[in-house]
Amino acid sequence: MTAVHEDYLRTIYMLMQRDERPTTTAIAEQMGVSPASATNMLKKLAGLGLVDYHPYRGAKLSVAGERIALEITRHHRLLELFCSQVLEMPWDQVDKEADRLEHVISETLEEAIARKLGYPSVDPHGDPIPNKDLSMPESGGIPLIMLPTGHCADIVRVLAQEPEHLRYLGSLRLYPGRQLRIIQKAPFDGPLLLTMATNQVMLAAEMAAQILVQETACAEG
């Protein structure tokens, strides 16, 4: 197994988690390679028994391939949280650092990081962290854009991955754990007016679709 093999397996798993068909084109786009390169790698992974691959039909992880993908996902998300909480790195930078380290940490270091963080269930973006037995916790929430006007909710997950999007959401303090209320929705997919504590912010509908929330009772005051 190489780091590239593991990256492909995690990419296929992430596409499946987002209910996207892991076609050669989709995998190539996520990996930043040509479709021909993706095809060659999928054939290699199929030869290793890690994916079930058929041309023009995409790829599906085998049981062994899924376990590797979950293990790397656990490493990645624990590292993201460690960089964010312990090293106090901005949440738009932790993904890149975790990408560099996820393939090389030992199981001993993984356990030490998990213990230091109190065996967390989510990373800084609210993405679930696979358990030590490599089972994936349930992840709920509805897109913020679907929350009715006047209702309150807690942010549970931010799906946006682009650093510039995360920096923008961070500038608005739209982090997991924050409570908000929708004051107004502009028609025709216009922006949303939100209030958090004493602050009001405007958020584009496209960005609101990338934030998952759980409705809750509004805090008094």
Side-chain angles (χ1 to χ4, degrees), residues 10 13-14 17 66-78 110 114 119-123 127-138:
R10 189 164 77 91
Y13 182 80
M14 291 298 105
Q17 286 291 295
E66 184 173 350
R67 285 189 64 82
I68 294 171
L70 284 165
E71 180 69 30
I72 295 303
T73 299
R74 176 172 168 80
H75 287 183
H76 184 94
R77 293 178 177 174
L78 282 172
E110 174 203 303
Y119 298 99
S121 59
V122 295
D123 72 5
D127 296 325
I129 298 174
N131 298 316
K132 189 174 181 178
D133 64 2
L134 300 185
S135 60
M136 180 66 85
E138 293 291 329

Side-chain angles (χ1 to χ4, degrees), residues 39-71:
T39 297
N40 289 335
M41 179 55 72
L42 291 173
K43 289 178 179 178
K44 291 178 182 178
L45 293 173
L48 292 170
L50 300 174
V51 302
D52 180 17
Y53 171 67
H54 298 282
Y56 311 110
R57 290 167 52 189
K60 180 181 179 181
L61 294 176
S62 68
V63 174
E66 184 173 350
R67 285 189 64 82
I68 294 171
L70 284 165
E71 180 69 30

Side-chain angles (χ1 to χ4, degrees), residues 62-161:
S62 68
V63 174
E66 184 173 350
R67 285 189 64 82
I68 294 171
L70 284 165
E71 180 69 30
I72 295 303
T73 299
R74 176 172 168 80
H75 287 183
H76 184 94
R77 293 178 177 174
L78 282 172
L79 286 164
E80 283 191 329
L81 192 61
F82 184 83
C83 289
S84 175
Q85 284 194 1
V86 179
L87 304 182
E88 299 181 352
M89 294 180 65
W91 73 334
D92 58 276
Q93 296 179 16
V94 296
D95 179 69
K96 189 174 182 180
E97 296 302 326
D99 277 340
R100 295 190 178 104
L101 299 170
E102 63 190 17
H103 307 288
V104 297
I105 67 171
S106 66
E107 298 307 299
T108 300
L109 181 56
E110 174 203 303
E111 171 62 19
I113 292 173
R115 184 172 63 250
K116 175 67 174 179
L117 296 172
Y119 298 99
S121 59
V122 295
D123 72 5
H125 313 106
D127 296 325
I129 298 174
N131 298 316
K132 189 174 181 178
D133 64 2
L134 300 185
S135 60
M136 180 66 85
E138 293 291 329
S139 178
I142 61 170
L144 174 57
I145 193 70
M146 295 177 60
L147 187 70
T149 301
H151 288 222
C152 294
D154 293 329
I155 299 174
V156 295
R157 190 175 184 182
V158 174
L159 301 178
Q161 299 181 14

